[in-house]
Amino acid sequence: MLRFIASRLLQSAAVLLAVFTMTFFMIRLAPGDPFASEKSMNPDVKKELERQYGLNENLSVQSWKALSSYGRGDFGLSMKNQGMRNGKIIRDSFPVSLIVGAAALVVALAIGLPAGIIAAVKRNTWLDVGPMSLAMIGICLPTFVMGPILIAVFGLKWRLLNVAGWFEPTDWILPAATMGLSYAAYISRLARGGMLEVLSQDYIRTARAKGVPGWLIIIRHTLRNGLLPVAAFLGPALAGITTGSFIIEKIYNLPGLGQHFVSAVFNRDYTLILATTVLYAALLVAMNLVADIIVAWMNPRVRLSS
Amino acid sequence: MRRFLAALLAGWLTLLFSACSGESINATEGARRKILLVNNKDDPRWLDLHRTNSVVENNIMLALHEGLVVEGATNERDPDPGIAASWQSNPEKSVWSFQLRPDARWSDGNPITPDDFIWSWQRLLNPKLAAEYSGMLFIVKNGREIFEGKLPADQLGARKTGPHSLEITLTGPTPHFPQVLCHSIWCPLARHCLEKYGDPLSALNPWTDDGKMITSGPFRLKTYLFRRYLEVEKNPHYWDAATVKLDGIRFYPITSEQTEDRLFRRGQLHITYNVPLDKAPTYLHDHPDVIVNDPNLAVRFYRVNTKRKPFDDARVRRALGLAIDRQSLVDNVLRENQRPAFGVVPPMDGYDEVKGFSFDIAEAQRLLAEAGFPNGQGWPSNVKLHIADSERAIQVAEAMQAMWQKNLGIRIPIRMEDYNSYLSSQQHMDYDISDAGWNADYYDPATFIDMWLTDGGNNRTGWSNPAFDKLLEESGQCTDAASRLATLRKAEALLLSEAPVLPYYYYTRTRMIHPAVVGWTKRLLDDRMWKYFDLRYPPPPSSMDGELRRE
């Protein structure tokens, strides 16, 4: 186990280095620059700005400097947000995304798991068809439709919650619900599929033949194996869910991290793109590792080995 | 397991209460406390006045700073006294003297002196600051040379002539200098504040942090929460504090038009930045008392690349311009009371529109045939219309495409790029026809005309005409305003006759204004004089009460 984790950590470092390098160079290939505006800029002004942000140097020198400052834990200076350090931008916005993401995950699991399990057990009854049709709608309905619907009902019609902003301790509810519902749809379908496969196994039939009660079969014999696909899905999903969503943050005007992934690219904020991408990659790698460990714990047939 | 979950929940709650910062104020509460809630579209890139370059930043700067003169409260073309109580010029309009108010104070109570102005302008022109708007000061004697490092900063044509007086020498006659001076970039910065926190030229100098920043305007910075809001409060040391009725203004960085619309309807905003494109026509019809729809000193146009075939022929460019039905575009596509543009300068006080174009299909077809494309035959298939990926630009481009196809028989495909790539292509003249807009920096037609000078940084069409350049040079020598404007009109007419630019509409700005807001006036430059704003409590009734009054 320890050897497995150690080797995975080593691989992760290599992955992160590759992500860092590729992001660094790829964003420079895009046309445009961080100082572009409708009005033309005096060439002297532009040269001086490029000097101040170190953009006048050779690209490989720049990438080495950026890498060594990452080594020191300094994610550089944002080019779009006045004199702000990228580290501070991430520190400010990540908690917001984490709060909403964690709540969304709870919503997703609380709705998705029972719906999927019941649908599998009561296969081909209305308890299966009803929730699974809803889940299909949930998968098809993008968040930018779901969000405004929830806002129209809970914000504008019943006036229970704020329609946007991040001030009151209830402001996470609508964004978390919007995000959670779409994930719930995925999770319920994954759970149903996994459970169905296990329910048709011989050992379940054996248990039934021995006279084990139905609910005990589900809880003791089916769940652990049946929910493996959900556990495997949750690893990478967790990285996405906790780093925020551009669309949800835009709809609800949240000061989260998700918006920076997209707006930094539009603004050609080279340093911020690098910081957010590396952070996301690191989370993704970490969550995948956690998911692997959980899957191994749930399924002893998987051997953790390097 | 249960303990683990409880720990997770506790961690989540701690995070929740630590991350919710700032205080939510709704529109009614704001009216009671006299805090104006304004959506400003985005966070400012800089709070350092000299580094600012955008409308978003300018809206905040107008609250924080004040210059020698300010745009008139009633007529924006006729400046009001600001920190200067009075001013005069020599007969040639090239040397201007200003008498500062002895009671003018910084927001920390220190007096504002002529030296503060001179120091600020020298900083703005310092090449190390790399300020985009430094070019505005090139009309001051030696301004350009100082920026280029050829002369020391103390050679600037601005000097103190008394404890409260200041003299500015310009490079030539400038009868419209007071209008130019209204731009916020001319406002003074507090030297003692910048120097206290480090190198005044450094981008990392924290002098603009809340609690540190010292400014000269009717308001001062109170709180800045990145991605949440920026709040200013009344500046008690401001010389005209008695006029200032608001206790504060909160600027929100809400980027989505749909979100700000919902916030407004939920009673959480006083002034929106825009109105969603799909909703504007309905609101204009149903809620005329809540919506404002003002003409704006800005023009939308297509640049034509005169270095590429077939646009090296002026007849082809003219033909495209004449085949646009601008009235129909405004009535059926844009639908926010925009005005069709037949010239590059929007109509303004003292300068009527130069109608260089009209809607004349027969003439357009004749010109195109003359240029070798009768009924569009032989039209090159690789010519494209270049736009940025905005909803509005797409709608307009599709309408243009249809008009050119119908009226001239030519098919011009659309090439769309993300905003930054689009700007880059335009700058490198990698386009055939490219969409663009231009906002006035100050109340004068020259701000729309001088960009078309040969090799001007904003020309970007490759067009050059020595006669045009000469007319502009002549206009710069005029000491009397009327003959100057007449020369500018001649230059504009010449530009339009050769059509490197095809103007199509003059902007309007559409916004929702809460019934509690007092003091909104039509302003072509759209610069808000925040000190004249007020809020009424309780808010008077309006056509949107069904939505706004349910609090």
Side-chain angles (χ1 to χ4, degrees):
Chain A
M1 182 76 163
L2 278 177
R3 258 187 69 191
F4 167 78
I5 294 177
S7 96
R8 281 294 294 267
L9 282 177
L10 267 177
Q11 286 172 27
S12 306
V15 168
L16 287 183
L17 187 66
V19 168
F20 177 95
T21 316
M22 279 166 67
T23 312
F24 185 92
F25 288 99
M26 271 165 68
I27 188 62
R28 302 305 174 96
L29 292 178
D33 64 75
F35 312 117
S37 80
E38 201 99 17
K39 289 192 167 119
S40 85
M41 192 184 266
N42 184 312
D44 294 339
V45 169
K46 189 158 182 185
K47 230 181 261 166
E48 177 61 25
L49 282 175
E50 284 175 348
R51 195 192 64 76
Q52 286 177 6
Y53 284 95
L55 296 177
N56 55 341
E57 286 177 278
N58 184 308
L59 260 190
S60 48
V61 175
Q62 283 184 46
S63 76
W64 175 247
K65 280 192 173 167
L67 188 62
S68 54
S69 80
Y70 269 59
R72 293 191 305 271
D74 173 8
F75 301 113
L77 208 57
S78 165
M79 295 175 171
K80 169 72 193 350
N81 308 293
Q82 61 145 359
M84 257 195 200
R85 298 232 151 250
N86 292 320
K88 178 174 162 38
I89 292 176
I90 291 173
R91 263 201 314 280
D92 272 4
S93 55
F94 195 26
V96 175
S97 300
L98 206 59
I99 290 164
V100 173
L105 190 71
V106 172
V107 171
L109 290 175
I111 299 177
L113 280 184
I117 294 168
I118 292 171
V121 175
K122 305 279 177 191
R123 191 179 175 190
N124 293 338
T125 67
W126 64 271
L127 276 174
D128 178 18
V129 179
M132 282 308 112
S133 311
L134 278 180
M136 205 60 211
I137 294 173
I139 289 173
C140 297
L141 207 64
T143 47
F144 60 81
V145 176
M146 180 74 88
I149 291 176
L150 291 180
I151 294 171
V153 176
F154 294 96
L156 291 173
K157 188 149 176 59
W158 293 343
R159 309 217 143 206
L160 292 174
L161 296 163
N162 284 336
V163 295
W166 188 256
F167 298 106
E168 283 164 27
T170 51
D171 282 342
W172 57 273
I173 296 176
L174 283 182
T178 312
M179 207 165 172
L181 285 175
S182 70
Y183 278 99
Y186 280 101
I187 288 176
S188 66
R189 293 195 68 86
L190 281 172
R192 178 179 179 272
M195 291 289 287
L196 276 182
E197 203 193 311
V198 176
L199 281 173
S200 63
Q201 301 270 327
D202 290 346
Y203 74 91
I204 299 291
R205 202 172 330 134
T206 312
R208 272 218 184 97
K210 285 197 299 186
V212 182
W215 59 270
L216 208 59
I217 295 181
I218 305 294
I219 291 177
R220 190 161 296 166
H221 299 290
T222 326
L223 274 186
R224 194 156 155 178
N225 278 330
L227 294 184
L228 276 176
V230 176
F233 165 77
L234 275 183
L238 213 57
I241 221 169
T242 52
T243 46
S245 141
F246 173 70
I247 294 168
I248 288 192
E249 285 172 16
K250 210 167 156 138
I251 294 174
Y252 292 100
N253 197 44
L254 299 181
L257 184 60
Q259 58 192 321
H260 297 302
F261 284 95
V262 179
S263 55
V265 175
F266 282 135
N267 295 325
R268 306 287 188 271
D269 191 337
Y270 297 148
T271 56
L272 186 56
I273 294 167
L274 195 62
T276 50
T277 313
V278 169
L279 173 75
Y280 180 69
L283 275 173
L284 200 59
V285 167
M287 294 301 171
N288 266 320
L289 180 60
V290 172
D292 283 351
I293 294 170
I294 291 178
V295 167
W297 168 74
M298 288 172 76
N299 184 358
R301 281 170 298 181
V302 174
R303 289 269 171 270
L304 291 182
S305 64
S306 46
Chain B
M1 188 68 177
R2 192 169 295 170
R3 206 172 283 172
F4 176 68
L5 285 179
L8 269 186
L9 182 66
W12 183 82
L13 283 173
T14 322
L15 206 57
L16 176 66
F17 284 99
S18 64
C20 277
S21 52
E23 170 201 15
S24 147
I25 306 180
N26 67 35
T28 314
E29 176 70 3
R32 198 178 60 75
R33 288 168 51 184
K34 294 216 182 279
I35 296 178
L36 186 68
L37 310 173
V38 184
N39 180 24
N40 200 28
K41 183 109 176 130
D42 208 346
D43 275 292
R45 180 169 183 162
W46 295 101
L47 280 180
D48 180 336
L49 171 72
H50 285 166
R51 298 180 202 265
T52 60
N53 67 348
S54 70
V55 176
V56 166
E57 290 157 337
N58 192 45
N59 289 335
I60 299 169
M61 295 303 131
L62 285 170
L64 294 176
H65 300 278
E66 184 167 288
L68 291 168
V69 301
V70 295
E71 278 175 34
T74 45
N75 178 358
E76 52 196 317
R77 200 190 160 203
D78 188 16
D80 280 343
I83 301 216
S86 58
W87 58 92
Q88 308 80 34
S89 78
N90 64 351
E92 292 76 39
K93 313 272 181 200
S94 58
V95 179
W96 294 74
S97 50
F98 296 84
Q99 290 76 45
L100 271 54
R101 294 173 195 281
D103 58 341
R105 294 274 181 281
W106 293 106
S107 56
D108 62 348
N110 280 315
I112 302 177
T113 66
D115 291 320
D116 288 322
F117 281 92
I118 296 169
W119 181 83
S120 301
W121 297 333
Q122 289 173 347
R123 174 183 190 255
L124 180 63
L125 286 167
N126 193 316
K128 287 222 179 66
L129 190 71
E132 269 191 78
Y133 264 76
S134 49
M136 286 281 281
L137 266 72
F138 289 180
I139 60 169
V140 180
K141 193 178 160 206
N142 294 337
R144 183 187 291 273
E145 289 75 10
I146 292 168
F147 175 77
E148 287 170 354
K150 291 176 190 153
L151 282 176
D154 58 15
Q155 293 297 303
L156 186 67
R159 65 188 182 94
K160 181 179 177 176
T161 47
H164 302 294
S165 53
L166 175 68
E167 185 186 84
I168 305 175
T169 308
L170 304 175
T171 51
T174 314
H176 60 295
F177 186 54
Q179 280 82 21
V180 176
L181 261 187
C182 289
H183 195 282
S184 58
I185 204 78
W186 294 85
C187 298
L189 294 183
R191 178 179 189 171
H192 61 286
C193 172
L194 275 82
E195 288 182 341
K196 183 172 168 190
Y197 296 106
D199 176 5
L201 295 175
S202 162
L204 294 172
N205 184 327
W207 74 278
T208 55
D209 288 358
D210 35 12
K212 296 191 173 117
M213 194 177 193
I214 292 170
T215 53
S216 59
F219 296 90
R220 60 185 184 188
L221 184 62
K222 184 182 176 199
T223 325
Y224 179 34
L225 297 166
F226 179 60
R227 294 311 302 157
R228 290 159 170 89
Y229 62 80
L230 180 145
E231 190 169 317
V232 298
E233 62 183 355
K234 186 174 173 171
N235 172 7
H237 298 288
Y238 177 58
W239 66 270
D240 196 16
T243 306
V244 183
K245 294 175 199 83
L246 291 176
D247 283 329
I249 309 170
R250 205 179 252 204
F251 296 94
Y252 289 101
I254 306 159
T255 47
S256 159
E257 289 173 4
Q258 301 288 355
T259 300
E260 68 163 346
D261 172 58
R262 284 193 284 264
L263 278 167
F264 185 83
R265 286 190 286 141
R266 180 73 158 82
Q268 289 179 300
L269 268 184
H270 288 131
I271 302 178
T272 67
Y273 192 85
N274 263 318
V275 172
L277 280 185
D278 53 339
K279 288 181 177 149
T282 320
Y283 284 171
L284 280 168
H285 184 266
D286 294 351
H287 303 290
D289 56 330
V290 177
I291 203 161
V292 292
N293 173 240
D294 299 342
N296 193 202
L297 214 50
V299 62
R300 194 87 204 160
F301 53 86
Y302 287 139
R303 282 193 174 88
V304 187
N305 189 342
T306 63
K307 296 286 179 202
R308 283 197 185 170
K309 277 189 184 313
F311 297 121
D312 51 348
D313 186 337
R315 289 172 300 188
V316 178
R317 306 194 297 257
R318 286 279 305 166
L320 288 189
L322 291 168
I324 301 170
D325 185 353
R326 295 168 174 80
Q327 192 63 50
S328 163
L329 188 76
V330 163
D331 293 342
N332 302 316
V333 180
L334 300 163
R335 299 192 298 164
E336 282 180 37
N337 299 330
Q338 287 91 342
R339 298 145 298 161
F342 299 100
V344 289
V345 184
M348 59 176 99
D349 213 7
Y351 191 94
D352 291 333
E353 188 184 20
V354 175
K355 288 196 186 274
F357 287 96
S358 55
F359 179 43
D360 187 343
I361 300 179
E363 173 69 2
Q365 286 172 342
R366 189 185 68 76
L367 284 171
L368 200 65
E370 242 183 63
F373 306 102
N375 300 320
Q377 284 158 21
W379 182 259
S381 59
N382 58 351
V383 167
K384 290 196 178 82
L385 174 56
H386 176 231
I387 61 171
D389 58 351
S390 84
E391 207 181 323
R392 170 132 283 165
I394 297 166
Q395 288 175 347
V396 170
E398 285 171 349
M400 290 288 182
Q401 211 178 16
M403 287 192 265
W404 285 328
Q405 171 100 49
K406 183 167 161 250
N407 300 336
L408 299 175
I410 55 178
R411 217 185 73 78
I412 301 185
I414 295 169
R415 170 183 157 218
M416 192 165 78
E417 286 187 294
D418 83 88
Y419 188 67
N420 215 304
S421 310
Y422 150 89
L423 289 178
S424 160
S425 301
Q426 208 174 67
Q427 240 144 30
H428 298 109
M429 283 183 63
D430 172 22
Y431 71 87
D432 305 301
I433 307 169
S434 186
D435 193 25
W438 193 258
N439 278 293
D441 279 327
Y442 47 89
Y443 202 110
D444 188 81
T447 176
F448 291 97
I449 302 176
D450 58 17
M451 60 191 280
W452 305 105
L453 279 168
T454 300
D455 294 332
N458 292 306
N459 181 318
R460 303 182 204 165
T461 60
W463 182 76
S464 148
N465 186 327
F468 175 84
D469 297 353
K470 190 150 179 295
L471 279 171
L472 274 190
E473 201 189 310
E474 276 171 29
S475 80
Q477 308 299 325
C478 295
T479 53
D480 113 273
S483 68
R484 177 172 168 272
L485 291 180
T487 318
L488 285 174
R489 287 179 70 84
K490 263 193 238 168
E492 190 191 351
L494 176 62
L495 168 77
L496 298 171
S497 72
E498 300 205 353
V501 46
L502 315 175
Y504 55 92
Y505 73 84
Y506 302 124
Y507 284 75
T508 53
R509 282 297 302 267
T510 313
R511 287 196 182 84
M512 314 279 275
I513 310 268
H514 195 276
V517 176
V518 182
W520 184 272
T521 51
K522 277 195 194 305
R523 300 183 80 82
L524 281 177
L525 282 172
D526 203 31
D527 287 336
R528 293 299 142 200
M529 298 292 113
W530 299 114
K531 76 173 182 179
Y532 298 113
F533 275 80
D534 196 1
L535 286 161
R536 240 179 309 194
Y537 181 82
S542 79
S543 69
M544 258 206 177
D545 280 357
E547 306 210 45
L548 294 178
R549 281 239 167 181
R550 268 187 287 167
E551 289 306 312

